[in-house]
Amino acid sequence: MELGTNFAAKLEPFLLMSKSAKGAAAAKLIQDATSAPGVFVFAELLEMPNIQELATNEQHAPYFSLLQLFSYRTYRDYLGIQDSLPSLNAAQITKLKYLSIVSLATQRRVLPYSLLLQELKMPAIRELEDLIIDAIYLDILRGKLDQKEQQLEIEYTMGRDLEPDKLENVLTALQHWASTTASVLDALDRKLVEVSMHHGAAQAEMESHEGICAANLKEVQDRQREVKTGPARKQGSFVASFGDGMDIDEPPLDSNVKIRNRNRGPSEAAKQPRKRNRF
């Protein structure tokens, strides 16, 4: 749920009563509305015809200015013009300080304690932190109290009423924000295209590298296979040729004697001297 979504409903009873309240009754209605718990937006009440009439009534004009104070301004503004306004009770002062924190949060996200103490005229940090914690519980803002750094880190705040003459400033700020956002998105798109192209080139380079590695690995495996199978193939061919030679050169069985005699050299009979006939 967004912050401040029930604030308009809290104002509804005062809008109904303002239709019939005039003069002093309308002034009293403003006092009641600015003091009532849970009522933090007042633009619709400020636009009611009977409330608008108070601005032209010298006696009740300060109450109209008081309602404008709660609609648009801060506690510091009140201190500068408090002599021209009705006196504020404790509930009104506390509520105006809540709204002042919301206005300060529109200018900066981190609010130092020193700034808040000065703007809200708080006497001590403990009271300031209690005020901030109550504002968080009332759904006026969301943030984190950093006691170490002595600051309030704002996350979200409710929206305050917008002064009619400030509309152009808001539109200008929104246009500037839209232009800045468009520039950032365009830069992000270009960066995404660059990243995509780089990724594609890196992917292609990786695939090429993997292909080269696979080819080199296959070549090494083929060479290792050739080294392992080469000697066996040569030995097998040698044995085959040697076997073929034996088949060709082997003499027949019946020539063994001749071979043996041939290898023995001259026969013993040849070595014996011949006998001669004596006459």
Side-chain angles (χ1 to χ4, degrees), residues 53-182:
E53 288 180 2
L54 297 178
T56 59
N57 187 313
E58 184 178 356
Q59 181 181 357
H60 302 300
Y63 291 93
F64 183 79
S65 298
L66 179 65
L67 187 59
Q68 288 180 319
L69 173 70
F70 276 84
S71 296
Y72 312 130
R73 297 182 178 87
T74 65
Y75 185 71
R76 174 181 279 275
D77 296 328
Y78 164 71
L79 295 177
I81 58 174
Q82 60 180 333
D83 295 336
S84 62
L85 296 176
S87 299
L88 300 184
N89 57 37
Q92 288 173 312
I93 291 175
T94 300
K95 181 181 294 189
L96 188 57
K97 289 182 178 180
Y98 291 153
L99 296 173
S100 299
I101 296 175
V102 173
S103 294
L104 290 172
T106 62
Q107 302 171 11
R108 53 195 303 177
R109 180 178 175 273
V110 178
L111 301 176
Y113 281 1
S114 58
L115 175 63
L116 293 172
L117 291 172
Q118 180 181 359
E119 292 290 327
L120 305 178
K121 302 302 178 184
M122 304 292 290
I125 291 179
R126 177 61 183 273
E127 294 184 12
L128 173 63
E129 290 180 340
D130 290 341
L131 180 74
I132 294 172
I133 291 172
D134 291 339
I136 293 174
Y137 277 116
L138 290 171
D139 214 23
I140 296 172
L141 61 88
R142 292 178 189 168
K144 175 184 176 182
L145 288 171
D146 189 341
Q147 294 179 327
K148 181 180 179 180
E149 299 295 333
Q150 297 286 287
Q151 62 188 18
L152 169 63
E153 298 177 3
I154 300 293
E155 296 179 5
Y156 304 100
T157 67
M158 57 163 283
R160 291 200 68 182
D161 300 323
L162 180 65
E163 291 186 71
D165 58 346
K166 298 293 180 64
L167 182 59
E168 291 297 328
N169 295 336
V170 173
L171 291 176
T172 301
L174 289 175
Q175 290 173 353
H176 177 71
W177 175 81
S179 176
T180 302
T181 303

Side-chain angles (χ1 to χ4, degrees), residues 201-250:
Q203 186 70 21
E205 183 178 356
M206 182 178 295
E207 291 177 356
S208 176
H209 178 72
E210 290 177 353
I212 294 174
C213 289
N216 291 337
L217 180 60
K218 184 177 183 303
E219 183 178 355
V220 170
Q221 290 175 344
D222 291 343
R223 289 182 180 179
Q224 290 178 345
R225 192 178 297 112
E226 290 177 0
V227 169
K228 290 180 180 180
T229 59
R233 184 182 300 115
K234 293 178 180 179
Q235 183 178 2
S237 61
F238 174 77
V239 171
S241 61
F242 180 77
D244 294 342
M246 290 295 294
D247 291 340
I248 295 171
D249 298 335
E250 185 178 0

